[in-house]
Amino acid sequence: MMKGTITLCCCLLLSIAAMAQPVKTPGKVTAVNIKGQEVSIRTQNAFAVITAYSPSVIRVRMDKQPLAKDFSYAVTAQPQAFAPQVTQNGEEVRIATDSLVARIGKNPFSVTFYTKDGKVINADEPGLGTSWIGEEVTTYKTMQEGERFIGLGEKTGNLDRKGSSYTNWNTDAYGYTVTQDPIYSTIPFYIGVHHGLSYGIFFDNTFRSDFNFGASNDRFSSFSANGGEMNYYFIYHPQVAGIVSAYTQLTGRMKMPPLWSLGYQQNRYSYYPEAEVLRVAQTLREKQVPADGITLDIHYMDAYKLFTWNKQRFPDPTGMNAQLQKLGFRTTVIVDPGIKVEKGYHAYESGLKDDIFIKYSDGKNYTGQVWPGWCHFPDFTSAKGRSWWKQQVKLFTNAGVSGLWNDMNEIATWGQRMPDNVLFDFEGNPVTHQQAHNVYGLAMVRASYEGAKEAVPNQRPFILTRAGYAGLQRYSAIWTGDNRAEDDHMLLGVRLMNSLGLSGVPFTGMDVGGFTGNGSPALYARWIQIGAFTPYCRSHTGINTKSAEPWAFGEEVLEISRNYINLRYKLLPYIYSCFYDATQTGLPLMRTLALANTHDPKVYDTRFQNEYQFGPAFLIAPFESKQAYAPVYFPEGDWYNLYDDGKENGGREKMLTLGMHTLPVYVKESSIIPMQSLVQSTREKPSDTLFLHVYKGNIGNDFRYYEDDGETFDYEKDGFFQRNISYRPQENSLTLEQASGKLRSKFKHIQLVLHGFGQQQISVDGKPADVEQGNTAFIQPVSRFDPQGESNPAVSCAVLKVLVLNSAEVIKIRFGQ
């Protein structure tokens, strides 16, 4: 009797202990069902599906209950049809593709990824793996010796995120600090690097999520979410570029932007009235600062109400925009999601009528305060809400507006605490604010993009956003929000854009000059030099600050600004071709050195982590405005000084003497850089000669040159001119391969500009060419601002020049013949 009682008590105690266990793990695998590329698994406490999504991508889904219907705002690609080898025994399930092997342990459930030759790429941490604490789900990964972590989208801090943790919760972070987290957008995708290997993990969960890369522990890295599934994609490729391409194959790639959006944009909070807008535009032309865009902040509206114009400040928006277009400018206007609660206000009344606002759980429309006062907010996660927004957008397109700047879409409200019991449609599957918050900005830019595209058929929209989620690149550019006019913010902006580039977003920018506060002339000069080598180049400053136009800091800064904006406009054929490459490969224009030099420890050194490549050719070394001396690191290869062709060997450091007039810029050996004559806006046609700069080197190189009309979607129907240009130093040759596409090039001639080749004979298509010795200068000397009024000495490169007739046929150039 006593023995039975003791046994019963022990069983009850064990049962209570099990019930009280605060951390729930999957436990042992109890059933496996293999069906083609998909493995369905039942464990003691969980359900999982492991899918070979492509030869380089394995997807892992897991939950405590049977998995819900599959849905993602980020992932647009379906699993590729292929035949991985899937086998099992008593200990594990093995999925093998051409690229990697996934081994799923059965006791307990765990996942480890290997190379084909058996090296561990990434593994669940033994004893931890995936687990739940309440509704929070976490996967713990073994932290490999010397492992580095890069990416994760718009995150402050260092290039290498080892030792840090981050939260994904889109936040209105006005004047954020250089270490603040979170800020505006969420891209839960990072890249791990160790032992000559690299991999990517995309955690597709829209709840508030946390990533720990060894913060406060020496055992694991982890990613977790407050709710929802454990749902991640594991990506393996020998190169980081391949990982980024695979990630963007999953989440989509950008479309070609309108050409005008790649020109210089002038903004402040705010330009008004109409006469002031036209004055700024006219001054840019008078001072010969090339520019393509004027941006209007919230003061263009009537009492900050969206889809209105202030009739006192802007009595004739259509006429003003027509005048701006004649001057070669396009207009971008800010749009916020908040719709003021005001009877008689057309957007409010139509929104009520169409029932498109987000609601509390009891069915009452949610009301929060933003610029206009108390507002309702469209539900962009519903087709009905997006359809309503598209109709409203026509107010702007009908007035000649070309760009929509989506702001406050985190969602931002005064108090920054939208209640969790606000409901969103989520494409017919209602969810709370907890799950919808991080995708609201993405859904808004989707509505803005689709609305602008429908309103002006066959014209590429320009959409800019502050917030977003993975996949935002399909619809929008992004800028880094309300930064500060400080040196450390300028350099942080570089790292933010580099990280966004690693995370699938090629079209990025920051407020040149800083949004809050008043920067010095030296800071503005340095910032605009860097801005000329960023994907989206916009000067901006806040209300109650000094003006931030290039002439506002004096004549010397104006000349510096003009030099670098001029250079950007000359580089537009190169920049545009790099953007086309982004549409095809997902690779960004602005590239951290870790992209191509992943396993070089020097590129992670905090002294060099701000250096980046601008496309494949340029190395940009940004420094604080007050620095007189600074070290630069040259990665592998030979590098030419942009301004005088001075040559530097790679794999070493060098101390530079810095000055306000020039930004350190270098060109990689064997680079091919197409350039054009200077124009004041993209509306103006350049001369009929394409200047093709080629730098002598020891490595072969290819560059994909691309043109289209810069405005329409005709490029999707062969309305383009594209050719590969290959440089083969071992063969002493440069080949312009046969062009594809139905469009004729706008350039009748090509002038080869050869750097570092020395005097030699050159033939074109087997015939001797006329070779001219000459000089080329990328910037003009800045005046000496003293009573003598002299100029600084001109700096230029000694080059060889050869003029070639452009055609769509193969053009073969041989050197030394």
Side-chain angles (χ1 to χ4, degrees), residues 271 273-284 294 314 319-325 327 329:
Y271 286 133
E274 178 183 300
E276 173 70 358
V277 176
L278 293 170
R279 182 194 69 81
V280 171
Q282 190 62 52
T283 306
L284 286 160
I294 299 284
F314 296 93
M320 178 193 70
N321 289 327
Q323 284 184 267
L324 287 170
Q325 289 210 26
L327 288 168
F329 289 92

Side-chain angles (χ1 to χ4, degrees), residues 492-563:
L492 170 65
V494 167
R495 294 197 300 280
L496 289 172
M497 288 186 282
N498 284 342
S499 183
L500 283 161
L502 281 174
S503 308
V505 186
F507 202 179
T508 59
M510 59 178 166
D511 284 345
V512 168
F515 182 70
T516 72
N518 294 301
S520 67
L523 177 62
Y524 186 86
R526 177 68 78 224
W527 212 323
I528 206 157
Q529 289 167 344
I530 297 169
F533 292 97
T534 59
Y536 180 63
C537 181
R538 177 181 88 165
S539 286
H540 188 29
T541 189
I543 199 167
N544 296 323
T545 61
K546 294 188 297 187
S547 294
E549 297 82 29
W551 55 85
F553 294 89
E555 290 297 319
E556 187 174 18
V557 174
L558 173 60
E559 289 191 32
I560 294 167
S561 301
R562 186 188 294 123
N563 256 340

Side-chain angles (χ1 to χ4, degrees), residues 264 285 288-292 562 565-566 569 678-681:
Y264 175 66
R285 292 289 175 256
Q288 294 187 303
V289 177
D292 267 85
R562 186 188 294 123
I565 296 172
N566 282 352
Y569 273 76
L678 179 62
V679 293
Q680 293 301 300
S681 80

Side-chain angles (χ1 to χ4, degrees), residues 414-605:
W414 304 158
Q416 307 299 331
R417 290 292 297 180
M418 181 177 284
D420 286 341
N421 64 344
V422 174
L423 301 183
F424 295 74
D425 181 74
F426 226 68
E427 315 308 322
N429 301 284
V431 301
T432 70
H433 175 237
Q434 290 180 317
Q435 191 169 355
H437 177 91
N438 281 336
V439 296
Y440 189 81
L442 170 64
M444 181 181 178
V445 295
R446 174 186 174 184
S448 294
Y449 180 87
E450 292 174 353
K453 189 177 177 183
E454 287 179 16
V456 190
N458 205 28
Q459 290 291 308
R460 301 176 205 169
F462 170 67
I463 308 296
L464 180 67
T465 190
R466 192 170 75 175
Y469 183 71
L472 72 91
Q473 66 271 8
R474 301 193 300 264
Y475 310 110
S476 181
I478 189 170
W479 100 106
T480 60
D482 298 338
N483 60 3
R484 303 183 185 189
E486 300 167 4
D487 278 290
D488 57 356
H489 259 265
M490 176 177 67
L491 298 180
L492 170 65
V494 167
R495 294 197 300 280
L496 289 172
M497 288 186 282
N498 284 342
S499 183
L500 283 161
L502 281 174
S503 308
V505 186
F507 202 179
T508 59
M510 59 178 166
D511 284 345
V512 168
F515 182 70
T516 72
N518 294 301
S520 67
L523 177 62
Y524 186 86
R526 177 68 78 224
W527 212 323
I528 206 157
Q529 289 167 344
I530 297 169
F533 292 97
T534 59
Y536 180 63
C537 181
R538 177 181 88 165
S539 286
H540 188 29
T541 189
I543 199 167
N544 296 323
T545 61
K546 294 188 297 187
S547 294
E549 297 82 29
W551 55 85
F553 294 89
E555 290 297 319
E556 187 174 18
V557 174
L558 173 60
E559 289 191 32
I560 294 167
S561 301
R562 186 188 294 123
N563 256 340
Y564 282 86
I565 296 172
N566 282 352
L567 179 55
R568 180 182 180 88
Y569 273 76
K570 291 176 183 177
L571 282 169
L572 279 175
Y574 171 80
I575 293 171
Y576 201 67
S577 296
C578 289
F579 265 98
Y580 178 72
D581 199 52
T583 71
Q584 302 301 299
T585 66
L587 295 181
L589 175 60
M590 193 166 171
R591 306 173 178 184
T592 168
L593 297 189
L595 185 69
N597 306 274
T598 308
H599 306 292
D600 182 346
K602 285 283 189 181
V603 304
Y604 303 97
D605 189 317

Side-chain angles (χ1 to χ4, degrees), residues 610-626:
N610 300 316
E611 294 180 28
Y612 65 96
Q613 285 188 246
F614 190 61
F618 293 100
L619 171 65
I620 313 299
F623 297 105
E624 292 186 359
S625 59
K626 296 175 184 177

